[in-house]
Amino acid sequence: MSYPPQTPQKALPGAYVQTPAHQSQALSQQGQGAQSGTQRSNADEIQPVARAARAVNEALSQESQYPDLDSYIGQGISSEYEVSTQAAWAPFQKSKMYTIPDRIFEQYNRAQVSTIMGLFADFNHAWVAIDNALYLWNYTQSNPDLVSFEDASHTITAVRLVNPRPGVFVPSIVRLLVVATTADIILVGMSAQTAPDGGKQVALYSLKMSAPVKGLDVDVIEGSHATGRIFFSGRGSDDVYEFTYQQEEKWFTNRCAKINHTNRGYSTFTPSLLFGQKAPQEIVVQMIVDDSRRLLYTLSSQSTIRTFFMRSSSGLDLVISKPLGQTLSNVGHMTSQTDLISPSMSIVSISAVTAREAAKTNLVASTSTGCRLFMSATSAYGASPNSSTAPTSMQVQHVKFPPAGTSSPQQNQSSQSTQLTQYSNAPAINTSSRALDPSRTVVRYAPGYFLVFVVKDQQAGLDHLFVSAPDTGRIAQPQLQQNPIKYPELALWLNLGSRAEDVGLASAEFSASLGPVGFGNELAVQFDKPTSEIAILTNTGVHMLRRRRLVDIFAAALRVGGGDEGLEGEVNQFVRRYGRAEVASTALAVACGQAFDVTSDSRLARISDPEVLELARKSFIEYGGKPEYPENSVLDSSVPPIDVVRPSPRHAGVARYISRLLRSIWSVPIIVENLTPTGGFQVATAVSLVKLQDISRDLTKLKEFLDANKSFIEGLAGPEARGNFSNKKDEVSLLAEHRALHALVVLIDRVIEGIAFVLVLYDEKIEETILSLANETRQQVRNLSYEKLCTTDLGKMLAKDLVKAIVNRNILSGSNVETVAEALRRRCGSFCSADDVIIFKAQEYVKRGAEHGADSDVCRDYLNESLRLFKQVAGSLTMEQLQWAVGQYVALQFYAASVQLCLDKARESDRGNRALGWIQGGRPQGDKRAEAFEARRKCYDLIHQVILSIEQSKTQSPDYEGGNLSLAGRRREEAAYEIDHSDDEVFQTDLYDWYLQNNRADELLAVQSTYVVTYLERRSSDDIAHADLLWKYHVLKERYQDAAIVQLALAKSQFDLSLNKRIEYLGNARTNASTTRPGIVRSARTEVLREVSDLLDVANIQSDLVQRLKSETRISAERKPSVIEELDGMILPLSVLFNTYCEPAFYFDLCILIYEAADHRVGSDIKATWQNLFEHTHQQAEDAGQALQAYEKIAEQVRSLGNKLGLSQTMFPVGELLPMLKRYAHNFQPHASSETWVLDIFIDLQVPFETIYATLENMFYNDEPPFQGSNRRLIGNDIVYLAKMWFQHSIRGSGPPFAGQDNAAAVSQMLHMVMQVGLDEPRLEECQNLRIRIEALLR
């Protein structure tokens, strides 16, 4: 009887397998024992790397759900800022200041008419237009070269850098300079190249493209990045023009032209009817293009915002015009009257919000009082427009008021406190702050960088810069806030010390996702994308503002937070704001060297201050939280406690940090197949190799940190962290924490090796490697992402295929495989282990051997060495590698080696020999051990193929040549020896199965192995064919006793055998058991022989019964087949045969035989049965009308039984039978044709004459009826007849008459007596003559 195990059958991945449970709270308690055997964790079946991958995917999914702009601004108003009073918490910092070159000032001093300046920040260039000349320089260089454009004939009024229309210019023209003068507008081509120092080098090209604009005084230019369309306007009107251009002139269109999209035709000629003072002319002061919605926004000098829809046919439709009054009306519904939003203020700037950033918000308008108006455009029925539909109305959705107070940049620099000006939790929002009034110009960049240039002193003309950015951490986790606020921002004041001329984004436009949800999540990409940088051009130089990431802010706060004493306060402040998991992730990043800061010499450098790194380490270790054990969930007994534990925020922080490192590659394919311009095949990487190296470096640092601090991190230490747990909850919680953290560590290792593998792949002529793959494998590789490569079995398998392809390519090219394989092993051991290196080396030896020919000694040396190596790593061989090796060995006639290698591989694949246990257990269905057998059988199938190959080779080269064993024959014999003498019982079992399945029974019987008997005995229990082979095998090996035992078992078996077949088995068994052989114990042989004989007697009786029943007329035709079927099968017990069949059917002769077989010696029963036999036989004859011939049937039955019974004195009692028959003859057969038929029966059966004589003598003297009186002569007649027959028989022999004188004298005397009684006349004469002869002999 089995009991469920009290402990899990296998350790949980990463669990403390050696840690004992607390005595009072053991995990497996007596009352729960019944459940522990069946209750299994669903999670413990998950491999560590899969568990970690799930944690990373959850982290990525969580960060992808970062709220979109529409959701966190909402409809209404807000004024929440945290204005930093200390540099540590500042959202931005000045990273560098580049001065304007002296050569520019030299040119500036020569100006006669006008000077304007600007930035091409995305190319790191600034420009200045001095009169009719334009100069560009790379402001990042200390002594840059000037790139000039001096072809303009008139004074330059505006310059803009735009994208060219696709297909118009050669690919080297990456941008167009749109240069507006007082007379015309000119296109200048610009190319750009990356300099060795990483900067940009630009060149200008004259395109001979221009259009007249005289009188427009163009000062506003904007271009569409997507379509290359160019729009402009001037100081003379509020019309919107487009500059069109094409490659060449056409019939009805010039190469360049301008189009007025807003001129109403008659307005130009309508005279002014205004009386009194002339109203100021409304002009366009700003244009913005939103390609995502195909919209062009304009801002006029009267604060009117107009929206144009850019049709695909180069048209431009005015769809919305929103005067300032309407804007004020919209705001009036949101807030009470405020001076900040009134007719006296103006809109100084507009910024487009793309559809990628927000689905509803289209535009942000900034006022001169520092307010931001978030505006939404809708189409008909209030639906949000898309790129194919134009909006019809625009409304203000949200108003962000300026921050409270009048903080200045000087205050920021002087304060040493790390505290911030906290968000106001007051119910009333400050709608009267003049902190940003007057705002001269405002710039906004995604995902919400807000730069306001405020002029507090109009005479000085110096700008104070207010810059803010969304507080991403708080927006991402609003649930942490007791009083959730709208649109929280971090801000600071900066003193530029001059006037800003232009602002540009020096880095790529920010986006964390392809859609609004997740778009603004700066935390998610802080380790994945370059930090945003903004360039501000002033009359003193270019100031660079760097966006500070949370990791930078945290590191700076630790640096100025007061060391160990202030650590708790700093960390708790971050925890309150961003949550413990985010703090753990950030602290871990700082500890791993991810934080940067600007040094005193304006360099951006990693923070490597040991004190800061130590504080970050302590923050991660001491403030990472604890796992959560939800006790209510454990009430569900179907879920193991370890699976309901929620790992600590520390674990979430590690998973979050890993996800942020991997987000750019996690779901990206490792290869991208392309075609070159010439049609060639090319494989590229979706992620740059430099990026991969950076990720690998960061992961390595993370791994080193975790390894170095393993003993300090709760849950990561492993078994050495065992201790006394106060309760079960603590123990289970720590086990769950360890399992989760251990999984992440495993994933880190796997990804590092995965990246290393990809780098090796691209170093090894990847195109040739990919082309060498099978089509199916190649398609799988195309779809293989870094996640699948590092976390799935499929990825590992495909990596093995790629490694093999690399090695094969190197083998074909003649390269040293060992060098390549060893390099793979060192860099990515999970994908190319030490065993793989040995396998590759063995494969190379095989190929080298093949080059020297199968019959050469050099080939044999190489093959033997390859076999040694293959056997050394047999457990690591894949089936494909094994098949390859066996195929090569067979081709080189290395048959024995192929058999050995297959056997070793099979043994290594099932080191616990579970397959043998399954076989010995009867091969139960659904048993998991069957999988082990199937794995081994794949190896054995290869041996079967080797056998077939050997047989086929015999037709090509005989075993003997000239009477001597040939080389080929010797190799075949070696293989046969390996097969026959293998001690792998599982293999022998499978081999014998294969023999029988392929009609090779003779080969099985010829095998010289002890496993044959074991195999046949095991299979004989359920297959008669195997049982037949077993006794035949014993006979061939002259083990007759064993053969008899098998045949006896077959006769007694449950197999569907006929009775005759069982009798045949018993007959053969008796023959085999009767055969004597040296070494057989006589008693054992006798015992078997006796059992066989006894069972054969019963079987013969049953066979007679079957034959009798077949002719039986007393059974109905319907029932007879079933009765015969019951008997024509297994040998039934004698009691069944007697009681069920023979006695009820009056088969008394069979009853007598049953008495004999059962050794039933009750004389009365035997006598009664004989009597019943005679009576029943007579009755049958009488019923058939053959009463006179009944004696013949009785005589026949007595003779038959006498022969079958062997004249047994018990079953064939002559002393009883003879009187019975005599009485029957007297009573029922007085006129029988033979008076001596009764005596003839016994004489024919060779019953001794003495026995018959004694019986007749007793009958004569006993004087029993009916032989009394005159009837005694009947007995006397029989005595005379018997004496005559006895005399004749004795004189024919060599002995004396009647076996001696005594008997002769007694007979003579008896004859004398019967003559006195009286005899029939014939008998009297015979008696006299016989007595005379006897007397003569006695003299």
Side-chain angles (χ1 to χ4, degrees):
M1 185 173 182
S2 61
Y3 295 91
Q6 294 293 313
T7 55
Q9 293 183 351
K10 65 178 181 178
L12 300 176
Y16 306 124
V17 295
Q18 300 297 333
T19 304
H22 193 269
Q23 292 296 326
S24 59
Q25 298 288 342
L27 281 178
S28 51
Q29 301 176 1
Q30 184 68 23
Q32 298 175 350
Q35 294 179 1
S36 63
T38 57
Q39 174 180 302
R40 283 288 177 271
S41 167
N42 293 331
D44 70 357
E45 298 297 335
I46 302 175
Q47 294 298 319
V49 68
R51 185 187 308 283
R54 185 174 63 183
V56 170
N57 284 324
E58 289 174 354
L60 290 172
S61 175
Q62 181 181 3
E63 296 205 312
S64 69
Q65 299 303 312
Y66 180 87
D68 62 317
L69 178 65
D70 296 325
S71 65
Y72 63 78
I73 60 171
Q75 187 168 5
I77 62 176
S78 63
S79 63
E80 290 79 6
Y81 298 84
E82 286 197 21
V83 182
S84 172
T85 58
Q86 207 277 336
W89 284 83
F92 289 87
Q93 65 181 155
K94 285 185 180 180
S95 59
K96 202 172 185 65
M97 191 271 190
Y98 301 101
T99 60
I100 298 176
D102 292 339
R103 296 172 61 187
I104 295 297
F105 284 113
E106 293 174 2
Q107 296 295 332
Y108 178 77
N109 292 331
R110 298 173 187 170
Q112 297 179 356
V113 180
S114 68
T115 302
I116 54 177
M117 302 175 68
L119 283 172
F120 302 145
D122 50 342
F123 288 93
N124 299 329
H125 275 63
W127 59 270
V128 60
I130 301 174
D131 295 337
N132 63 338
L134 176 66
Y135 301 99
L136 286 72
W137 75 94
N138 186 336
Y139 57 76
T140 63
Q141 295 180 353
S142 58
N143 187 25
D145 294 330
L146 295 184
V147 179
S148 62
F149 172 73
E150 299 177 335
D151 293 346
S153 303
H154 302 85
T155 301
I156 296 174
T157 59
V159 177
R160 188 70 172 175
L161 189 67
V162 300
N163 281 11
R165 178 173 293 169
V168 176
F169 306 104
V170 294
S172 60
I173 303 298
V174 295
R175 293 288 192 275
L176 295 178
L177 272 178
V178 185
V179 181
T181 69
T182 55
D184 50 14
I185 188 167
I186 306 168
L187 291 187
V188 181
M190 189 179 84
S191 65
Q193 295 180 342
T194 302
D197 60 357
K200 297 287 187 180
Q201 292 180 345
V202 301
L204 302 181
Y205 302 91
S206 175
L207 301 177
K208 306 298 183 181
M209 288 186 172
S210 63
V213 292
K214 190 171 184 178
L216 295 181
D217 198 9
V218 176
D219 65 341
V220 178
I221 305 173
E222 187 59 58
S224 167
H225 291 285
T227 63
R229 297 177 68 177
I230 302 172
F231 304 98
F232 63 91
S233 185
R235 297 187 181 94
S237 70
D238 62 346
D239 291 334
V240 176
Y241 294 85
E242 181 175 1
F243 181 85
T244 61
Y245 56 96
Q246 56 191 14
Q247 278 186 324
E248 55 188 15
E249 293 185 0
K250 297 183 180 180
W251 281 101
F252 300 104
T253 56
N254 295 325
R255 192 178 179 200
C256 301
K258 72 175 187 294
I259 300 174
N260 187 340
H261 287 290
T262 56
N263 186 10
R264 291 174 293 278
Y266 62 87
S267 60
T268 305
F269 305 99
T270 301
S272 175
L273 301 177
L274 297 176
F275 299 93
Q277 185 178 359
K278 183 178 179 180
Q281 174 68 41
E282 183 179 17
I283 62 174
V284 175
V285 297
Q286 187 181 5
M287 287 183 180
I288 295 294
V289 170
D290 180 2
D291 284 313
S292 66
R293 295 184 173 94
R294 293 170 56 186
L295 297 178
L296 168 68
Y297 304 102
T298 66
L299 173 64
S300 75
S301 57
Q302 296 180 4
S303 298
T304 297
I305 300 173
R306 294 182 174 88
T307 304
F308 298 85
F309 182 70
M310 297 184 293
R311 296 197 307 268
S312 57
S313 59
S314 300
L316 189 70
D317 298 331
L318 175 63
V319 292
I320 302 173
S321 179
K322 193 170 186 66
L324 180 60
Q326 289 186 13
T327 302
L328 296 176
S329 177
N330 291 160
V331 176
H333 295 293
M334 300 181 187
T335 181
S336 58
Q337 186 174 2
T338 172
D339 293 339
L340 297 182
I341 300 180
S342 66
S344 63
M345 64 87 184
S346 62
I347 297 176
V348 297
S349 176
I350 58 175
S351 299
V353 179
T354 65
R356 189 175 177 182
E357 183 179 358
K360 297 180 180 179
T361 303
N362 289 55
L363 197 69
V364 179
S366 301
T367 70
S368 60
T369 57
C371 297
R372 277 174 285 172
L373 311 178
F374 293 83
M375 311 182 79
S376 173
T378 57
S379 59
Y381 307 105
S384 297
N386 51 46
S387 60
S388 61
T389 60
T392 57
S393 64
M394 180 177 288
Q395 302 294 326
V396 177
Q397 293 292 113
H398 185 84
V399 179
K400 186 68 179 282
F401 286 93
T406 57
S407 299
S408 66
Q410 290 77 8
Q411 291 175 319
N412 295 343
Q413 307 301 326
S414 62
S415 174
Q416 295 300 315
S417 170
T418 60
Q419 300 299 317
L420 303 180
T421 301
Q422 298 292 329
Y423 292 123
S424 172
N425 290 326
I429 297 174
N430 190 335
T431 61
S432 59
S433 172
R434 293 286 181 175
L436 301 182
D437 185 24
S439 297
R440 183 175 64 85
T441 187
V442 179
V443 179
R444 180 190 182 274
Y445 297 111
Y449 306 148
F450 179 51
L451 289 81
V452 185
F453 297 90
V454 183
V455 182
K456 293 296 183 181
D457 187 348
Q458 295 292 340
Q459 293 182 351
L462 302 180
D463 286 334
H464 288 177
L465 173 61
F466 177 82
V467 57
S468 67
D471 193 347
T472 309
R474 302 191 74 170
I475 294 173
Q477 302 188 68
Q479 71 276 9
L480 297 177
Q481 316 303 325
Q482 294 181 354
N483 299 308
I485 54 180
K486 291 184 178 180
Y487 199 5
E489 291 183 276
L490 295 173
L492 81 157
W493 285 93
L494 290 174
N495 188 359
L496 298 178
S498 56
R499 177 184 173 87
E501 300 293 338
D502 197 5
V503 182
L505 188 63
S507 57
E509 294 183 1
F510 180 88
S511 66
S513 69
L514 299 177
V517 177
F519 178 88
N521 194 349
E522 293 182 274
L523 297 179
V525 297
Q526 58 182 325
F527 314 121
D528 181 48
K529 292 187 176 182
T531 305
S532 296
E533 283 193 306
I534 300 172
I536 303 173
L537 175 65
T538 69
N539 52 15
T540 59
V542 179
H543 301 263
M544 302 301 298
L545 285 187
R546 173 180 174 270
R547 172 68 164 122
R548 299 180 76 225
R549 306 166 301 168
L550 183 60
V551 64
D552 304 328
I553 295 173
F554 185 77
L558 293 179
R559 174 181 290 171
V560 301
D564 291 337
E565 294 78 9
L567 178 62
E568 182 176 0
E570 292 295 332
V571 173
N572 286 338
Q573 184 175 356
F574 273 90
V575 169
R576 286 193 299 271
R577 294 163 61 90
Y578 305 122
R580 200 171 292 277
E582 187 61 51
V583 171
S585 175
T586 305
L588 181 61
V590 174
C592 292
Q594 288 284 6
F596 284 83
D597 199 5
V598 178
T599 63
S600 58
D601 57 350
S602 300
R603 289 185 302 104
L604 187 64
R606 291 184 184 271
I607 296 178
S608 56
D609 185 349
E611 182 180 357
V612 175
L613 298 183
E614 175 61 20
L615 291 173
R617 186 190 74 87
K618 292 180 65 175
S619 300
F620 173 76
I621 294 173
E622 297 177 7
Y623 298 94
K626 294 183 178 294
E628 182 180 344
Y629 185 91
E631 298 185 12
N632 292 336
S633 299
V634 183
L635 295 177
D636 183 3
S637 60
S638 63
V639 180
I642 194 172
D643 289 344
V644 299
V645 175
R646 182 178 302 164
S648 67
R650 182 187 297 105
H651 166 267
V654 177
R656 190 173 297 179
Y657 179 55
I658 295 173
S659 71
R660 290 170 179 174
L661 293 178
L662 301 179
R663 61 177 287 118
S664 61
I665 67 170
W666 190 243
S667 301
V668 173
I670 65 171
I671 67 164
V672 177
E673 294 185 3
N674 296 313
L675 293 178
T676 63
T678 59
F681 177 72
Q682 183 182 43
V683 177
T685 172
V687 181
S688 70
L689 299 182
V690 174
K691 177 69 173 178
L692 290 176
Q693 291 169 345
D694 291 341
I695 294 174
S696 179
R697 189 179 305 112
D698 291 337
L699 288 173
T700 301
K701 290 181 180 178
L702 173 60
K703 180 180 182 299
E704 291 172 351
F705 173 83
L706 294 176
D707 289 343
N709 295 277
K710 182 177 182 180
S711 59
F712 304 104
I713 300 173
E714 184 177 357
L716 191 59
E720 60 268 23
R722 66 177 64 177
N724 293 323
F725 300 105
S726 59
N727 52 51
K728 175 183 176 181
K729 181 178 80 171
D730 291 344
E731 180 184 11
V732 175
S733 297
L734 193 60
L735 286 172
E737 179 78 358
H738 175 73
R739 187 175 68 173
L741 288 175
H742 171 75
L744 292 176
V745 172
V746 173
L747 177 64
I748 293 170
D749 288 334
R750 189 69 64 84
V751 175
I752 291 173
E753 292 188 353
I755 292 175
F757 172 74
V758 173
L759 294 175
V760 171
L761 191 63
Y762 280 96
D763 287 342
E764 288 290 333
K765 297 183 180 180
I766 187 171
E767 287 82 4
E768 296 180 11
T769 302
I770 297 300
L771 290 174
S772 67
L773 298 174
N775 291 335
E776 181 180 358
T777 303
R778 182 176 168 186
Q779 181 59 44
Q780 290 176 323
V781 171
R782 288 193 196 104
N783 300 328
L784 182 63
S785 65
Y786 285 86
E787 177 190 3
K788 293 179 181 177
L789 172 67
C790 300
T791 65
T792 64
D793 292 337
L794 174 63
K796 195 169 184 178
M797 180 192 72
L798 294 176
K800 294 283 187 182
D801 291 337
L802 289 168
V803 168
K804 184 174 65 176
I806 292 173
V807 171
N808 289 339
R809 187 184 62 77
N810 280 272
I811 291 175
L812 292 175
S813 63
S815 302
N816 191 326
V817 176
E818 295 182 41
T819 303
V820 176
E822 184 62 26
L824 285 167
R825 185 193 66 79
R826 289 196 313 270
R827 298 177 64 179
C828 41
S830 295
F831 302 100
C832 183
S833 63
D835 287 353
D836 292 331
V837 175
I838 295 175
I839 291 171
F840 297 146
K841 185 186 294 185
Q843 290 175 334
E844 187 170 7
Y845 281 149
V846 173
K847 292 186 177 182
R848 289 180 183 177
E851 294 173 356
H852 291 82
D855 295 332
S856 68
D857 293 338
V858 176
C859 175
R860 290 292 132 178
D861 291 340
Y862 274 125
L863 293 182
N864 284 320
E865 181 61 19
S866 71
L867 176 62
R868 184 186 68 81
L869 295 175
F870 276 135
K871 294 178 71 173
Q872 183 178 339
V873 293
S876 300
L877 287 173
T878 65
M879 281 306 301
E880 186 175 2
Q881 291 168 337
L882 180 64
Q883 290 170 354
W884 181 88
V886 170
Q888 294 294 318
Y889 283 163
V890 169
L892 298 171
Q893 297 183 2
F894 204 29
Y895 304 121
S898 61
V899 174
Q900 290 179 23
L901 184 57
C902 291
L903 291 175
D904 282 4
K905 171 60 180 175
R907 188 179 298 107
E908 288 297 321
S909 67
D910 180 27
R911 303 185 74 174
N913 219 6
R914 298 170 69 239
L916 181 58
W918 178 69
I919 292 173
Q920 292 175 341
R923 309 190 185 200
Q925 295 291 329
D927 195 314
K928 288 187 177 181
R929 293 175 298 178
E931 298 175 1
F933 175 77
E934 290 300 324
R936 298 182 74 150
R937 192 170 69 173
K938 292 178 181 178
C939 304
Y940 302 148
D941 287 342
L942 294 178
I943 299 179
H944 303 161
Q945 296 176 16
V946 173
I947 295 174
L948 295 176
S949 299
I950 291 174
E951 293 176 351
Q952 186 177 4
S953 69
K954 291 181 180 179
T955 62
Q956 302 171 356
S957 56
D959 287 340
Y960 290 90
E961 295 178 352
N964 297 320
L965 185 64
S966 65
L967 178 61
R970 183 165 45 107
R971 291 171 178 172
R972 289 191 285 263
E973 282 193 358
E974 290 173 354
Y977 181 85
E978 293 292 337
I979 293 172
D980 289 345
H981 291 80
S982 169
D983 60 354
D984 186 346
E985 186 174 351
V986 181
F987 162 65
Q988 296 290 357
T989 299
D990 179 77
L991 177 65
Y992 304 153
D993 284 340
W994 182 73
Y995 279 152
L996 297 181
Q997 291 167 1
N998 292 274
N999 299 320
R1000 292 169 172 257
D1002 292 341
E1003 296 181 41
L1004 171 61
L1005 296 177
V1007 171
Q1008 300 291 333
S1009 173
T1010 58
Y1011 293 116
V1012 175
V1013 175
T1014 304
Y1015 166 78
L1016 292 176
E1017 286 178 346
R1018 185 182 298 125
R1019 299 304 298 270
S1020 295
S1021 61
D1022 55 5
D1023 186 8
I1024 191 171
H1026 290 84
D1028 280 336
L1029 287 174
L1030 178 58
W1031 69 259
K1032 291 177 182 178
Y1033 186 82
H1034 284 315
V1035 170
L1036 286 174
K1037 306 305 177 185
E1038 297 183 349
R1039 293 196 288 265
Y1040 302 109
Q1041 179 79 1
D1042 295 333
I1045 293 174
V1046 175
Q1047 291 166 332
L1048 174 61
L1050 280 172
K1052 297 163 59 176
S1053 69
Q1054 300 285 337
F1055 290 124
D1056 185 16
L1057 297 173
S1058 67
L1059 184 59
N1060 288 336
K1061 188 65 176 179
R1062 294 177 190 271
I1063 293 173
E1064 179 184 341
Y1065 281 130
L1066 290 172
N1068 292 333
R1070 184 163 60 183
T1071 302
N1072 288 321
S1074 301
T1075 304
T1076 59
R1077 288 282 298 171
I1080 299 178
V1081 180
R1082 182 179 181 87
S1083 59
R1085 182 176 66 85
T1086 304
E1087 179 64 25
V1088 173
L1089 184 58
R1090 183 195 60 78
E1091 185 178 358
V1092 170
S1093 300
D1094 290 346
L1095 191 59
L1096 183 59
D1097 290 341
V1098 177
N1100 286 327
I1101 294 172
Q1102 187 169 330
S1103 178
D1104 291 343
L1105 178 59
V1106 170
Q1107 298 303 319
R1108 193 80 56 85
L1109 288 174
K1110 287 181 179 179
S1111 59
E1112 181 63 69
T1113 59
R1114 291 175 292 172
I1115 305 177
S1116 62
E1118 295 78 10
R1119 187 168 177 269
K1120 182 181 292 187
S1122 63
V1123 174
I1124 294 175
E1125 183 179 358
E1126 291 173 2
L1127 290 168
D1128 192 14
M1130 291 186 61
I1131 301 174
L1132 301 178
L1134 289 171
S1135 59
V1136 175
L1137 295 177
F1138 182 87
N1139 295 317
T1140 306
Y1141 298 98
C1142 295
E1143 187 178 43
F1146 309 133
Y1147 298 153
F1148 298 114
D1149 53 340
L1150 298 182
C1151 291
I1152 294 171
L1153 294 176
I1154 291 173
Y1155 289 158
E1156 172 67 15
D1159 198 19
H1160 184 74
R1161 296 180 179 275
V1162 180
S1164 58
D1165 292 342
I1166 297 172
K1167 181 179 178 181
T1169 304
W1170 278 104
Q1171 185 65 43
N1172 291 334
L1173 172 64
F1174 300 152
E1175 293 177 357
H1176 182 68
T1177 304
H1178 178 80
Q1179 185 64 43
Q1180 283 183 317
E1182 191 175 71
D1183 293 340
Q1186 299 177 352
L1188 296 179
Q1189 289 79 30
Y1191 77 95
E1192 295 176 355
K1193 296 183 179 298
I1194 291 175
E1196 181 181 351
Q1197 287 192 341
V1198 174
R1199 287 190 180 93
S1200 175
L1201 286 172
N1203 289 323
K1204 292 179 180 180
L1205 296 173
L1207 301 180
S1208 168
Q1209 294 182 3
T1210 304
M1211 299 301 146
F1212 196 82
V1214 177
E1216 299 289 344
L1217 294 179
L1218 183 56
M1220 275 188 225
L1221 290 172
K1222 288 301 294 181
R1223 284 192 291 271
Y1224 169 77
H1226 178 269
N1227 295 332
F1228 298 99
Q1229 299 292 334
H1231 304 293
S1233 59
S1234 173
E1235 295 179 355
T1236 62
W1237 66 271
V1238 174
L1239 294 181
D1240 289 339
I1241 293 173
F1242 296 100
I1243 294 172
D1244 292 342
L1245 289 173
Q1246 297 181 0
V1247 176
F1249 287 98
E1250 293 91 335
T1251 303
I1252 303 173
Y1253 175 80
T1255 303
L1256 290 176
E1257 184 179 25
N1258 289 337
M1259 292 177 65
F1260 182 81
Y1261 287 114
N1262 287 344
D1263 196 23
E1264 296 177 355
F1267 305 108
Q1268 296 173 331
S1270 61
N1271 286 339
R1272 290 180 70 188
R1273 62 181 175 81
L1274 297 177
I1275 302 302
N1277 292 336
D1278 288 338
I1279 291 174
V1280 173
Y1281 176 74
L1282 179 65
K1284 176 183 175 183
M1285 298 300 293
W1286 191 1
F1287 179 77
Q1288 293 176 354
H1289 178 270
S1290 60
I1291 63 175
R1292 286 197 297 267
S1294 58
F1298 300 105
Q1301 291 186 356
D1302 293 341
N1303 288 341
V1307 171
S1308 177
Q1309 185 178 359
M1310 188 64 193
L1311 291 176
H1312 177 72
M1313 288 293 296
V1314 298
M1315 285 190 300
Q1316 293 178 357
V1317 173
L1319 296 172
D1320 293 339
E1321 189 65 28
R1323 294 299 179 198
L1324 179 60
E1325 185 178 353
E1326 289 179 7
C1327 181
Q1328 291 173 347
N1329 294 333
L1330 179 59
R1331 190 167 181 271
I1332 293 172
R1333 296 180 67 181
I1334 294 172
E1335 289 295 331
L1337 291 174
L1338 291 176
R1339 296 190 187 100

